[in-house]
Amino acid sequence: MPSRESCEVNEEEEKPLVQKAKREANQEEILVAALGMRIGPQKPLATFWQPIKLFAYSQLTSLVRRATLRESERTPNSEKVHNFKVHTFRGPHWCEHCASFMWGLMAQGVKCADCGMNAHKHCSALVPNDCKPSLRHIRKVYSCDLTTLVQACNTARPMVVDMCIREIESRGLKSEGLYRISGFTDSVEEVKTGFDKDGEKTDISVNAYEDINIITGALKLYLRDLPVPVISYDAYPRFIEAAKLTDPEKKLKAFREALALLPQSHNETLKYLMAHLKRVTQNEKFNLMNAENLAIVFGPTLMRAPDNNAITALNDIRYQRQVVEVLIKNEDALF
C-alpha cells in the first residue's frame, strides 16, 4: 500500500499535466467555435479535434513556406501574374496573403490555376506577381500560357517547340513545301492530344508519323493556340510601326527596341524559331520555301492584333508578313 507521502508527490506531479490538458481542451473548443462547428455528444472532443488539427497544419505549411522565402526568391527575374479563378474549397482554408480564415460554404475565395495559391477575392488584387507555376496544376500543354508552361517545366522554351523543330530538322528540311503543305487534321490533333497527355514523352518520330507535314502542322497549331501570341499584344504595335520604316538602320534599331518589350520566354522562343526558319531558307532549292513564303505562313501565326478589330487585322496582314520576313533575314543581327 502506497504511503501518504508518495501519494502527495504523485498528485503534485500530475497537476501540471492536468492543467496542460485543460489548456489544450480550451484551445480546441475556441477553434471549433471559430470554425462555426458544434460537437455532439456522439463525437468525443479528442476524436473530432485530431483531423481538424492535422488539416490546419497542412494548410499552414504553405503560409510558413511563403513567409520564409528569401526576398530574392519572392521577386523572380521574370514576374508572372497569378491566374486566379473563383474556387469552392472543401473544408477550412486560409488565405495565403493575409493568413486569415476564408468563410462561407461556396466560392469562399480564389485559387491560382497555375501555382495553386489560395486567397480571399479582395486579397487577390494585392498579391505580388510572384506566381511560380507547377505542373501539378497545369492540365494541358496546348492553349497554356507560354510563360506559365516554360516556368513550370523550368525550360527556356516550350517542349513542343523544341521537340517539333528537332524532328523537322533531323528529317524534313529538304521536304518540298515545308510549312506550306498541311498534314492530315486528325493526325495533327492526335499529336496535340499526345502532348497534352504525355508531355515530353510524346512520340513524334518517323515511326509514329512518317509525314513530316503532321509535325509542322502540330507546331503551327501550338503557336496559333497560345492565349498570348509569341509576339505579345503589348509589343505588337511597335513591331508594326518598325515594319513601316524604310531606312534600313532605323528599321533594325526599331526591331531591337520592339524585341526588348517581349517577355523573356517569348523572346527565347522567337529567337529559336527564327534561327530554325533561317535554316529552312538555306535549303530553298529543295523545299522551295524562302523567307517571304515562310513569312506568309507565320505572320498571322505569331502575331494577332490586340483589339480583335477585323479591319485593323486585315490592314495589318502585309505588315505582319514583313515583320516575320525581317526577323528571318536578320536573325543573326537581331538576336
Side-chain angles (χ1 to χ4, degrees):
M1 181 175 180
S3 63
R4 179 178 179 183
E5 290 79 3
S6 63
C7 290
E8 290 177 353
V9 171
N10 290 337
E11 289 177 359
E12 290 298 325
E13 292 177 348
E14 289 177 358
K15 282 182 179 180
L17 298 176
V18 172
Q19 292 173 354
K20 180 180 179 183
K22 288 182 178 180
R23 283 199 305 270
E24 290 182 350
N26 289 336
Q27 290 173 355
E28 293 164 3
E29 290 175 357
I30 291 171
L31 181 56
V32 169
L35 297 176
M37 300 177 180
R38 293 183 179 179
I39 304 173
Q42 73 282 3
K43 188 179 285 288
L45 182 60
T47 304
F48 177 84
W49 169 247
Q50 188 62 22
I52 293 293
K53 184 165 63 175
L54 293 175
F55 185 83
Y57 286 163
S58 68
Q59 289 299 307
L60 290 174
T61 299
S62 60
L63 299 179
V64 173
R65 172 179 56 82
R66 293 179 64 84
T68 56
L69 283 176
R70 296 194 308 269
E71 190 62 29
S72 60
E73 292 176 330
R74 298 190 67 175
T75 310
N77 292 331
S78 179
E79 291 188 343
K80 182 185 179 308
V81 179
H82 287 274
N83 183 19
F84 284 120
K85 298 184 183 299
V86 176
H87 190 78
T88 296
F89 297 95
R90 295 182 179 181
H93 272 70
W94 280 260
C95 172
E96 294 187 36
H97 179 71
C98 68
S100 298
F101 183 69
M102 292 194 287
W103 298 95
L105 299 176
M106 296 180 64
Q108 304 96 323
V110 293
K111 186 182 186 74
C112 179
D114 298 336
C115 71
M117 179 184 181
N118 307 322
H120 291 111
K121 295 175 186 177
H122 61 272
C123 285
S124 62
L126 306 175
V127 175
N129 300 336
D130 60 353
C131 178
K132 294 180 175 62
S134 169
L135 286 175
R136 294 187 301 109
H137 300 283
I138 296 176
R139 299 181 179 179
K140 57 185 179 179
V141 172
Y142 278 66
S143 301
C144 177
D145 175 68
L146 194 154
T147 300
T148 298
L149 184 64
V150 164
Q151 291 190 6
C153 298
N154 194 25
T155 56
R157 297 168 299 275
M159 68 183 80
V160 178
V161 175
D162 276 358
M163 290 177 62
C164 287
I165 287 180
R166 283 199 301 266
E167 191 65 29
I168 293 164
E169 294 198 350
S170 69
R171 60 185 173 99
L173 284 179
K174 296 182 180 181
S175 178
E176 184 176 334
L178 189 67
Y179 286 113
R180 180 176 55 81
I181 299 175
S182 301
F184 291 111
T185 303
D186 290 346
S187 298
V188 172
E189 286 292 331
E190 190 176 278
V191 174
K192 171 184 176 180
T193 303
F195 275 116
D196 283 340
K197 182 180 178 182
D198 302 321
E200 60 186 8
K201 296 180 180 178
T202 305
D203 183 9
I204 57 173
S205 66
V206 65
N207 296 326
Y209 302 99
E210 184 176 359
D211 184 6
I212 196 64
N213 297 310
I214 293 172
I215 310 304
T216 60
L219 176 59
K220 290 187 293 182
L221 179 61
Y222 171 76
L223 297 172
R224 284 198 303 270
D225 279 359
L226 288 172
V228 178
V230 175
I231 294 179
S232 62
Y233 294 124
D234 291 339
Y236 180 93
R238 296 290 292 272
F239 276 98
I240 295 297
E241 291 302 317
K244 295 178 180 179
L245 298 176
T246 55
D247 183 88
E249 290 186 5
K250 291 182 178 179
K251 176 174 283 193
L252 286 181
K253 181 182 178 182
F255 265 85
R256 291 191 186 96
E257 293 173 350
L259 286 168
L261 298 176
L262 294 177
Q264 183 178 353
S265 56
H266 287 241
N267 198 311
E268 285 290 335
T269 302
L270 188 63
K271 175 182 177 180
Y272 190 70
L273 181 61
M274 291 303 111
H276 163 65
L277 295 181
K278 186 73 172 284
R279 290 189 286 273
V280 172
T281 63
Q282 292 169 353
N283 289 272
E284 181 186 352
K285 67 178 182 179
F286 301 104
N287 58 42
L288 306 180
M289 296 297 289
N290 56 27
E292 184 178 357
N293 293 336
L294 290 170
I296 293 172
V297 174
F298 280 93
T301 301
L302 299 175
M303 305 180 69
R304 294 196 295 271
D307 56 4
N308 291 323
N309 186 297
I311 297 177
T312 302
L314 187 62
N315 293 333
D316 286 351
I317 287 178
R318 62 172 177 155
Y319 296 116
Q320 292 174 355
R321 176 185 60 77
Q322 291 177 22
V323 167
V324 178
E325 187 175 353
V326 169
L327 290 172
I328 295 173
K329 289 181 175 179
N330 299 276
E331 173 266 332
D332 54 344
L334 290 172
F335 295 98

